[in-house]
Each structure stands twice: as C-alpha cells, then as structure tokens.
C-alpha cells in the first residue's frame, strides 16, 4: 500500500518545527542559559547546531524519505541494525507515556487561571498550611525602596506557588514506595488529553498537518506579545542583558560544552525516530538538505527568541522583588510549575498572562506529543502491516496502552514515577542510536550509495563536508556526549527524596528495554539468514 503523503511541503516543515521547539524550549533552555553563562552558552549552542545537528537531521530526513517507511523498515538498508528502529519506538512509547502528563498539568493550571484570584498567588485556599508564604512578599516602588506587604511569615514554609504545586496538584506522598490514590482532577485531564490525541491522529497527517499551523503559530504570536510587553516593563533590560552577555570564563568548563551539544541534539529529537517517520511521508523529489538547514536554524532562532521573552519578564519580576535574575534559576518541573506561576502572578493582569502562558505550553507540548505517537503507530505498521487498513484500531490500541500506563503518573506518588522514567528513558539509548545511525549509513551502507540515492531523489549532490560530518565529526561528538553522560551519571532524585535501590534497578531496566532489541535483532538476523560472515549480513536488503 502506498504510504500517505503530506498535502504540501509546508505541512511537513511546520510539523517538524513544532516537534523540535516543543515545551522544552520554555522549560529547559532558560535554565541552561542561566546555569552556563548566558551568551557563552548561546555561542556554543549555535556552533553545535551548525556542526552537529544539521548533518544528523539531514541524514535522518534522507533515509526516511528514500525508504518511504517508518523507523523500523528504514533499516532494510542494513537489516542487522533494525533494532535501532525497535529501540526508537520503545523510547518513543516511554516518552509519550510521561510527556503527556506535562500536558495534563498545563491543562490544570490553564483551568485555574480563570479564577478571580490566582490560587498560586495567595495563602487563602483550603490546602494552604499555616506556614504558607504569599508570593507577593515585596513590592518595589518608583524610588527603589522595598516594603513588606505580608504578615510575619515562617521562613521555613513553602511559597503559595510551591504549595499549590506540591499539595493541590500533586498531593505528593513521601516516596515511590507509597503511590497513594489517584488524583481524580488529574485523571480527568488525562482522559481529555488522550481523547484530543486520538482525534488528532485519527484522520492521518493530511489533517494533523493542518492543525499544526494553529498550534505552532499561536505560541510564536503569544511569545511575541510577552516579549513586547516585557520590554515595556522596568527591569526587563537587566534580564535580557543577563541573557545575552557572555561569561567567557564558562567557555573553559567542559560541562557547558557537553550540555550545549546535548541540547542542540535533544531539541531536534535526533536519534528518536520521529524525523525519519515524518520524512517517510515526503515526496521523493523533496530537497532534504534545504529542509535540514531550514528546520535547524528555525529551531535555534525559536529557542533564542523564547529566551528573550522569558528573561524580559523575569528581569521585571527581579526588579520588583529587589533580587538578581539568578534568584530564579531553577530547572524542570520547578521552573514550569513554581517559577513560571510565581512570575506570572507578579505581572499586571496576571490572569490574562497566565491563560496565555499555559495555552502556549499546551500547544508546544502537543506539537511534540503527536509526532511521537505517529512514530509508535508507524512502527506498529512496519511490524504488523496487515493492520494498515484498520488504522482506527491500531491508533486506539496505542492510545489505550499509553493511557493505562499513564495512570500511575496521576497517582499521589506519580511525580516520583515521572522523574524516574524521565531520568532513564533517553539515557544512554538516544546517543547510542544517533551514533549508530551515522556509523551504519556512513560506513556500512556507504556515503557513495547515499549520494546515489540523493541524486535519484532531487538530482543534486551534497557538499563534501556533510560526508565528513556523517562519517567522522558527528559520531565523535555523540561518542563524547555518551561517555560524559556515563561519567557524570548519578542516581535519580526528586528534591530531597533519594530513590531506593530497587527503583534505580527499575530505571536501568527502562533504559535497557530500548537497547536490548539492538542485540536481539542483530543476533537473530545472522542466525535466521544462516550467514557465516558479518560482512554478508551487512549488505543491503534488496528484498
């Protein structure tokens, strides 16, 4: 059966842009900039985007388009390594299962943004404790003096934003050993989330490819509004100066280089199979080299642009409270669900900005969720082609499996499960997959045959530096990232909670679940074909 194709090429470009930007640009990118010297991180990030991300994105686009298949059948070019595609699908399944919970939390915050008083801005709610600290502790007047507008508070208490997150939203238990009960308000949001996803992918890419125009352009419009409004507020210049001014001493820190390289690859979803899957819907004559440059540069620009909006607003709130921008340095869930609500509550018309922020978060999140689900669906189609005609049944089975597994994340101990899966889902498999992609295509399949495939598709030859990057530069960069990840590994933790040994073991099983198919498929292919030499098994599968 002929594979469904994009209605036009712009649908593909916009879908890839939405996938690459995602909510991570709002959650991870500002933290990396704060932690790694502002402009110094930006410089290195741009370098790695040009040197590392573009060649690998081009590689994934090319093999996906030429094969016209999903992340598994694309490796018919070298059957020994079909395990890469199976591993990518497993990583994608774990990613979808917990990443969708972020959408659930954004939805709940969006709902609470319509109240007259934002519930994370005061301590007058039923869940607040006696030691709750109101977010509006300080007010800075025009002369620069500070006045305390709260009663005397216990310094050991939590802020209103922290109590809303930890008590009202999560109702967190004391650890993974005690999952507690289901948080039904989150379970309701979870059901709505999966209904949206099912309807989104039900009619295929010709419909979802149009919906992304809304979910991609709305965040950029809203971020532009945030940037313009932020620039008109006092203190915004200091925030943006902190963002773009490079601390050159950070350039001597190897950790900063590795982290910038990791983010430039992570933000594009390299080694996860989504680019391959989406490119498999392209027309054969599409120019992947042009698209790779365009997408990577647009993603880089989008992250930097979002950073300006973030630091403009944070600079204003730092001005109001008489603190430095560094005071807002936080990462992950704390940045998204404590720092962001805290900042929003300090802006004029906080309900409006809160609604706009969480609409932006939800649209960015769904742009990353949908391609990941389509990756899983395409992998199932590769393995079970007879289900192609029953696409609704295949889609429903994937959605249902994800939803049932996600119920653990909306329990009281769900945050510990989310953190554990997030800790191990990519580590170290994604770096291994991306490295193997370069080695298999560059050395086993060969760049000469790759050049012939490219010439047959859009009739041009790629520059020589791409050959060198695919065969030498990118594998070396990925190997450094892989080794440094192992070197800097530390057991998972959430706040002050240290995971027990059995939980760490479960985490490693999650990690190995995506790597195991590599060895299994490799050995099974050799045995089933009765090959006596590895070299024979590496030949292109013409069947």
């Amino acid at each position: 059966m002929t594979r469904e194709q994009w209605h036009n090429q712009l649908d593909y470009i916009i879908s890839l842009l939405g996938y690459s930007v995602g909510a991570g640009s709002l959650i991870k990118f500002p933290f990396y900039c704060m932690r790694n010297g502002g402009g110094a991180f930006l410089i290195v990030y741009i370098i790695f985007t040009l040197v590392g991300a573009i060649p690998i994105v081009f590689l994934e686009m090319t093999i996906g388009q030429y094969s016209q298949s999903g992340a598994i059948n694309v490796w018919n070019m070298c059957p020994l390594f079909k395990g890469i595609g199976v591993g990518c699908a497993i990583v994608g399944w774990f990613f979808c299962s917990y990443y969708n919970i972020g959408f659930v939390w954004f939805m709940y915050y969006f709902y609470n943004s319509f109240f007259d008083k934002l519930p994370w801005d005061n301590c007058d709610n039923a869940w607040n404790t006696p030691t709750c600290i109101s977010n509006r502790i300080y007010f800075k007047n025009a002369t620069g003096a500070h006045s305390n507008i709260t009663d005397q508070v216990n310094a050991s208490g939590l802020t209103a934003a922290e109590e809303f997150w930890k008590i009202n939203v999560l109702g967190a238990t004391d650890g993974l050993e005690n999952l507690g009960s289901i948080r039904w308000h989150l379970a309701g949001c979870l059901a709505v989330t999966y209904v949206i996803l099912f309807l989104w992918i039900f009619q295929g890419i010709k419909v979802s490819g149009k919906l992304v125009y809304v979910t991609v352009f709305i965040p950029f419009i809203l971020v532009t509004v945030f940037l313009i409004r932020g620039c008109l507020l006092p203190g915004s210049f200091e925030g943006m100066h902190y963002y773009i001014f490079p601390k050159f001493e950070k350039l001597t820190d190897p950790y900063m280089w590795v982290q910038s390289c990791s983010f430039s690859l992570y933000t594009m979803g390299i080694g996860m199979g989504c680019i391959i899957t989406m490119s498999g819907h392209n027309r054969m004559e599409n120019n992947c080299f042009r698209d790779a440059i365009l997408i990577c540069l647009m993603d880089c620009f989008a992250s930097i642009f979002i950073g300006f909006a973030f630091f403009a607003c944070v600079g204003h709130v730092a001005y109001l409270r008489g603190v430095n921008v560094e005071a807002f340095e936080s990462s992950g869930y704390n940045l998204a669900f404590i720092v962001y609500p805290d900042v929003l509550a300090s802006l004029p018309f906080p309900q409006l900005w809160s609604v706009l922020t969480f609409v932006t978060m939800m649209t960015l999140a769904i742009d990353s969720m949908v391609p990941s689900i389509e990756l899983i669906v395409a992998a199932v189609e590769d393995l079970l082609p007879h289900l192609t005609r029953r696409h609704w049944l295949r889609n429903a089975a994937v959605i249902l499996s994800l939803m049932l597994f996600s119920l653990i994340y909306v329990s009281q101990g769900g945050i510990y499960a989310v953190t554990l899966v997030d800790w191990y889902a990519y580590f170290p498999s994604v770096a291994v997959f991306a490295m193997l992609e370069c080695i298999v295509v560059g050395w086993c399949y060969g760049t000469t045959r790759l050049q012939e495939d490219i010439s047959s598709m859009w009739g041009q030859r790629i520059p020589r530096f791409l050959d060198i990057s695919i065969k030498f530069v990118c594998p070396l960069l990925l190997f450094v990232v892989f080794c440094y990840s192992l070197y800097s590994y530390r057991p998972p933790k959430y706040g002050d909670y240290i995971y027990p040994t059995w939980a760490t073991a479960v985490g490693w099983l999650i990690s190995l679940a995506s790597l195991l198919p590599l060895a299994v498929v490799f050995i099974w292919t050799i045995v089933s074909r009765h090959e006596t030499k590895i070299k024979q098994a590496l030949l292109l599968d013409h069947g």
Side-chain angles (χ1 to χ4, degrees):
M1 175 177 282
T2 304
R3 202 154 192 253
E4 185 180 18
Q5 292 188 331
W6 299 100
H7 184 265
N8 61 66
Q9 206 57 29
L10 188 58
D11 295 358
Y12 167 67
I13 296 295
I14 298 300
S15 297
L16 267 180
L17 179 62
Y19 169 70
S20 62
V21 175
S25 296
L26 275 169
I27 297 174
K28 293 179 180 290
F29 187 72
F31 167 70
Y32 287 150
C33 289
M34 284 187 178
R35 188 175 185 179
N36 294 293
F41 178 82
L42 294 180
I43 293 170
V44 180
Y45 167 58
I46 293 171
I47 292 173
F48 280 124
T49 296
L50 298 174
V51 175
I54 290 178
I56 306 179
V57 169
F58 165 74
L59 172 64
E60 293 193 349
M61 285 181 173
T62 302
I63 63 176
Q65 180 172 304
Y66 187 75
S67 70
Q68 293 287 293
S69 62
I72 296 178
N73 282 350
V74 70
W75 296 108
N76 285 338
M77 68 168 68
C78 196
L80 279 178
F81 293 95
K82 270 194 173 184
I84 296 174
V86 178
C88 287
I90 293 172
V91 170
W93 192 88
F94 279 115
F95 170 79
C96 287
S97 74
Y98 83 86
Y99 191 83
N100 295 345
I101 298 304
F103 186 86
V104 168
W105 292 331
F106 294 145
M107 186 187 299
Y108 187 66
Y109 272 79
F110 172 74
Y111 165 76
N112 281 277
S113 299
F114 289 94
F115 287 93
D116 292 336
K117 295 172 67 176
L118 293 177
W120 52 79
D121 189 35
N122 63 83
C123 296
D124 303 327
N125 306 288
W127 62 81
N128 290 127
T129 65
T131 58
C132 173
I133 303 172
S134 172
N135 289 341
R136 297 181 177 275
I137 296 177
Y138 294 110
F139 173 81
K140 188 169 184 179
N141 58 31
T143 63
H146 295 80
S147 58
N148 197 317
I149 62 169
T150 63
D151 296 327
Q152 184 178 4
V153 295
N154 186 335
S156 63
L158 300 175
T159 65
E162 289 174 314
E163 290 202 349
F164 180 79
W165 166 240
K166 294 180 178 180
I167 300 176
N168 180 263
V169 178
L170 300 178
T173 58
D174 54 1
L176 192 60
E177 303 89 339
N178 178 20
L179 289 176
S181 59
I182 295 291
R183 303 289 287 170
W184 291 107
H185 56 285
L186 297 182
C189 293
L190 181 70
V192 173
T193 298
Y194 280 107
V195 168
I196 292 173
L197 289 173
F198 178 77
L199 295 175
W200 194 289
I201 67 172
F202 180 73
Q203 292 296 331
I205 61 168
K206 289 189 176 178
V207 173
S208 63
K210 300 302 180 186
L211 292 175
V212 292
Y213 285 88
V214 177
T215 57
V216 169
F217 285 115
I218 282 181
F220 281 101
I221 293 171
L222 296 181
V223 168
T224 303
V225 172
F226 273 105
L227 177 59
I228 295 172
R229 178 54 180 156
C231 289
L232 299 176
L233 296 172
S236 59
F237 176 78
E238 286 75 12
M240 289 188 288
H241 179 266
Y242 176 88
Y243 173 49
I244 62 175
F245 183 78
K247 297 178 181 177
F248 289 107
E249 64 273 14
K250 281 288 186 178
L251 294 175
T252 62
D253 182 4
Y255 179 77
M256 189 272 283
W257 286 80
V258 173
Q259 199 158 56
S260 61
C261 181
S262 299
F263 184 77
S264 69
L265 301 178
Y266 163 83
T267 186
M268 289 303 306
I270 288 170
M272 293 186 65
C274 286
I275 295 177
I276 293 174
T277 300
M278 287 193 283
S279 300
H281 296 287
N282 281 341
R283 294 178 174 86
M284 289 291 284
E285 65 273 12
N286 180 60
N287 188 329
C288 295
F289 185 47
R290 174 202 62 204
D291 290 349
I293 294 174
L294 183 63
I295 286 296
C296 290
L297 292 182
M298 288 172 68
D299 175 69
C300 183
F301 168 78
S303 296
I304 295 172
F305 182 67
I306 288 171
F308 274 106
F310 172 83
F311 281 96
C313 294
V314 166
H316 170 64
V317 177
Y319 169 85
L320 289 177
R321 299 188 177 184
V323 297
N324 295 324
V325 175
E326 291 96 326
F328 293 91
E329 180 178 327
S330 190
S331 64
Y333 306 122
N334 285 345
L335 178 61
F337 301 107
I338 296 177
V339 174
Y340 271 134
D342 197 5
V343 169
L344 294 170
S346 302
L347 295 175
F349 309 108
Q351 286 84 358
L352 172 64
W353 297 113
S354 184
V355 167
L356 295 180
T357 295
F358 291 108
V359 165
T360 301
M361 293 283 204
M362 287 192 293
T363 51
L364 287 174
I366 202 167
D367 286 335
S368 294
M369 289 154 52
V370 170
S372 300
I373 291 179
E374 288 178 344
L375 158 68
I376 304 169
V377 169
V380 172
E381 183 179 317
D382 285 349
L383 293 173
L384 304 170
H386 60 278
L387 289 179
T388 301
R389 296 184 181 276
R390 299 181 179 181
H391 65 277
W392 66 270
L393 179 62
R394 176 196 60 204
N395 296 351
V398 170
I399 291 291
L400 183 61
S401 70
L402 289 168
M403 183 175 177
L404 293 176
F405 190 81
S406 297
L407 287 175
I408 190 175
Y409 301 136
V410 295
S411 65
Q412 289 179 288
I415 186 63
Y416 304 108
V418 170
T419 303
L420 183 68
V421 175
D422 184 34
W423 203 278
Y424 288 99
Y426 310 101
F427 172 79
S429 52
V430 170
V432 172
F433 295 153
M435 186 165 50
L436 285 175
E437 285 176 1
C438 295
I439 294 171
V440 172
V441 177
W443 294 96
C444 300
Y445 186 73
T447 52
T448 300
R449 276 197 281 186
L450 184 66
Q451 284 279 18
E452 293 172 355
D453 297 342
I454 291 168
S455 297
S456 70
M457 286 191 290
W458 66 88
Q460 298 178 10
R461 293 184 64 83
I462 59 172
R464 177 63 179 166
F465 79 87
L466 275 179
D467 281 1
I468 298 172
S469 295
I470 291 171
K471 295 180 73 172
F472 301 102
V473 178
C474 293
L476 179 61
L477 287 176
L478 289 161
F479 182 71
V480 170
V481 170
F482 171 73
C483 292
Y484 196 86
S485 298
L486 294 178
Y487 169 76
S488 60
Y489 167 79
R490 66 187 191 279
K493 62 178 295 187
Y494 175 74
D496 296 328
Y497 174 70
I498 304 297
Y499 283 76
T501 303
W502 66 265
T504 304
V506 170
W508 279 109
L509 289 176
I510 292 172
S511 182
L512 292 174
S514 57
L515 290 173
L516 189 60
L518 274 175
V520 172
V521 173
F522 191 95
I523 296 171
W524 180 83
T525 303
I526 292 176
V527 172
S528 64
R529 295 187 174 209
H530 306 290
E531 302 289 0
T532 57
K533 296 181 180 179
I534 295 295
K535 186 176 180 180
Q536 291 176 314
L538 289 175
L539 293 176
L540 174 67
D541 184 4
H542 292 285

